[in-house]
Amino acid sequence: MAKAKSWLEPHPGGLYVKPADLWIDPSRPVERAAVTHGHADHARSGHGAVFATAETLAIMALRYGVDAAASHNQAFEYGDGFERGGVRFSFHPAGHVLGSAQILMEYRGERIVITGDYKRRPDPTCAPFEVVPCDIFITEATFGLPVFRHPPTEDEIAKLIGAVRAEPDRAVLVGAYALGKAQRVIAELRAAGWDAPIYIHGALEKMCQLYAVHGVDLGDLRFVGEADKAEMAGQIVLAPPSALNDRWSRRLPDPVTAMASGWMRVRQRARQRMVELPLVISDHADWDELTTTIAEVNPKESWITHGSEEGLLRWCELHQRKARALHLVGRDLEEEA
Ligand SMILES: [Zn+2]
Ligand SMILES: [Zn+2]
């Protein structure tokens, strides 16, 4: 085992950086937390001080009322960071959602990177993942099994547009998580040339506004409540997954139910949610992205967490790469894949 064990302690509730007396993505309120990104399984409310990118802090302000302007909370640009207890912390793009960061820690000549959640394919709504050389690489493994290979995003977007055009009397209702996935689906639709208004559920409004304020152009967004039922025929509507089979959807003209998630690769999951049009669009690295990333970062050791640890652990063994599984609790895999 590398010497890191003495200064970085994995606990079920998060990673504790001993010399800095600081936690990374802790699952319970702590005095000092560095947070990789705004999803609920990483960003919690109630911390004394939060260290994060400016975007993540803005997201935490929106979701939990964290006071982003308070002096004990600190916002950083990518590449930037702070020092505490002799440990140098810096934030680097993770390509997962707006503001998502990998955190690099440097202490007594040793470099440890914790990825938080990440992906490698392009995403018009956030900065691309950066390879940060390190001794210990702590990687997520949500889709850490060879069965998970996400198709090209453009193909899934083309499928969505094709479905709307095939049935102009119906609306296509896409379930997408409120932070990240919804804005990415909208931005990908715009990139594919879909410039009609896109209708959104009220629960997506504030996060879409936050993205727009941070320079992500989402085009003409309208509320479902503001339009006549008939007006929404032949249109794309986005809602949080919980609204898919809800009474709310009755205000749409005979909606085709779609869902954008990496889990849509598993037919049974699509069936469970009564999804007619599964769209395999994920904000997490698939199997190839995970293995390619470990090879590119080429650390002395990988610590694997947040998902299918065993599959990736096996891959590391087969490729003579030192690795171990970290079992952190409170990671909700359904939440935002
Ligand atoms: Zn996440
Ligand atoms: Zn996560």
Side-chain angles (χ1 to χ4, degrees):
M1 182 58 58
K3 68 181 171 189
K5 211 180 166 190
S6 62
W7 63 276
L8 183 68
E9 297 177 352
H11 291 267
L15 289 161
Y16 179 62
V17 191
K18 215 171 169 182
D21 187 19
L22 177 152
W23 290 81
I24 297 182
D25 288 356
S27 58
R28 59 181 177 83
V30 297
E31 206 171 319
R32 271 174 295 275
V35 175
T36 58
H37 66 285
H39 280 142
D41 54 333
H42 300 259
R44 306 275 171 139
S45 60
H47 301 313
V50 177
F51 304 81
T53 63
E55 294 87 348
T56 296
L57 216 47
I59 291 164
M60 290 176 78
L62 177 63
R63 293 194 140 179
Y64 310 122
V66 168
D67 184 357
S71 59
H72 52 267
N73 295 322
Q74 288 187 50
F76 301 94
E77 305 274 314
Y78 289 127
D80 218 359
F82 62 98
E83 195 163 327
R84 195 181 152 78
V87 185
R88 172 83 197 156
F89 295 82
S90 55
F91 295 83
H92 304 271
H96 175 58
V97 297
L98 182 72
S100 63
Q102 310 174 71
I103 297 176
L104 164 66
M105 292 164 282
E106 298 163 275
Y107 184 65
R108 297 186 174 164
E110 189 167 45
R111 293 162 62 90
I112 303 182
V113 165
I114 172 157
T115 64
D117 296 337
Y118 71 97
K119 69 173 173 296
R120 299 302 301 274
R121 50 191 82 206
D123 176 341
T125 67
C126 64
F129 180 94
E130 194 181 293
V131 171
V132 181
C134 56
D135 301 297
I136 296 179
F137 185 58
I138 305 178
T139 177
E140 68 129 316
T142 303
F143 292 117
L145 289 170
V147 64
F148 291 111
R149 288 193 160 95
H150 309 323
T153 312
E154 314 82 80
D155 294 4
E156 301 301 285
I157 293 294
K159 234 195 262 178
L160 170 54
I161 293 175
V164 192
R165 294 204 167 125
E167 294 187 272
D169 297 335
R170 302 176 72 185
V172 176
L173 171 60
V174 185
Y177 290 102
L179 166 54
K181 189 64 58 64
Q183 297 77 23
R184 180 171 170 218
V185 168
I186 294 168
E188 295 282 6
L189 281 164
R190 298 308 186 200
W194 185 266
D195 48 20
I198 292 174
Y199 291 85
I200 59 171
H201 185 285
L204 304 179
E205 178 195 11
K206 291 217 167 91
M207 198 58 76
C208 288
Q209 275 170 357
L210 187 148
Y211 266 64
V213 165
H214 287 85
V216 181
D217 183 13
L218 300 176
D220 184 1
L221 301 183
R222 298 189 190 174
F223 289 119
V224 168
E226 290 168 355
D228 290 340
K229 197 169 180 174
E231 229 177 286
M232 286 180 288
Q235 305 294 339
I236 296 172
V237 181
L238 267 81
S242 58
L244 281 190
N245 305 305
D246 184 80
R247 288 176 60 88
W248 175 88
S249 66
R250 291 188 205 158
R251 56 181 83 185
L252 305 175
D254 188 19
V256 176
T257 304
M259 167 92 182
S261 164
W263 295 114
M264 289 298 104
R265 175 78 180 70
V266 184
R267 275 169 206 280
Q268 201 192 343
R269 298 237 190 179
R271 272 202 302 271
Q272 273 166 4
R273 283 191 175 271
M274 294 184 281
V275 169
E276 255 179 272
L277 178 67
L279 301 169
V280 186
I281 301 176
S282 179
D283 285 332
H284 290 267
D286 69 2
W287 174 254
D288 293 321
E289 291 169 68
L290 291 169
T291 55
T292 306
T293 303
I294 293 176
E296 276 181 47
V297 173
N298 196 22
K300 289 191 188 123
E301 196 173 318
S302 298
W303 294 3
I304 301 162
T305 184
H306 204 305
S308 305
E309 290 92 354
E310 302 309 320
L312 206 51
L313 206 55
R314 191 61 38 80
W315 181 89
C316 288
E317 274 167 25
L318 284 172
H319 293 80
Q320 274 100 50
R321 292 186 173 275
K322 210 170 164 196
R324 62 179 279 206
L326 288 189
H327 297 284
L328 305 177
V329 293
R331 300 295 182 236
D332 181 358
L333 300 178
E334 269 312 326
E335 165 69 11
E336 25 87 357

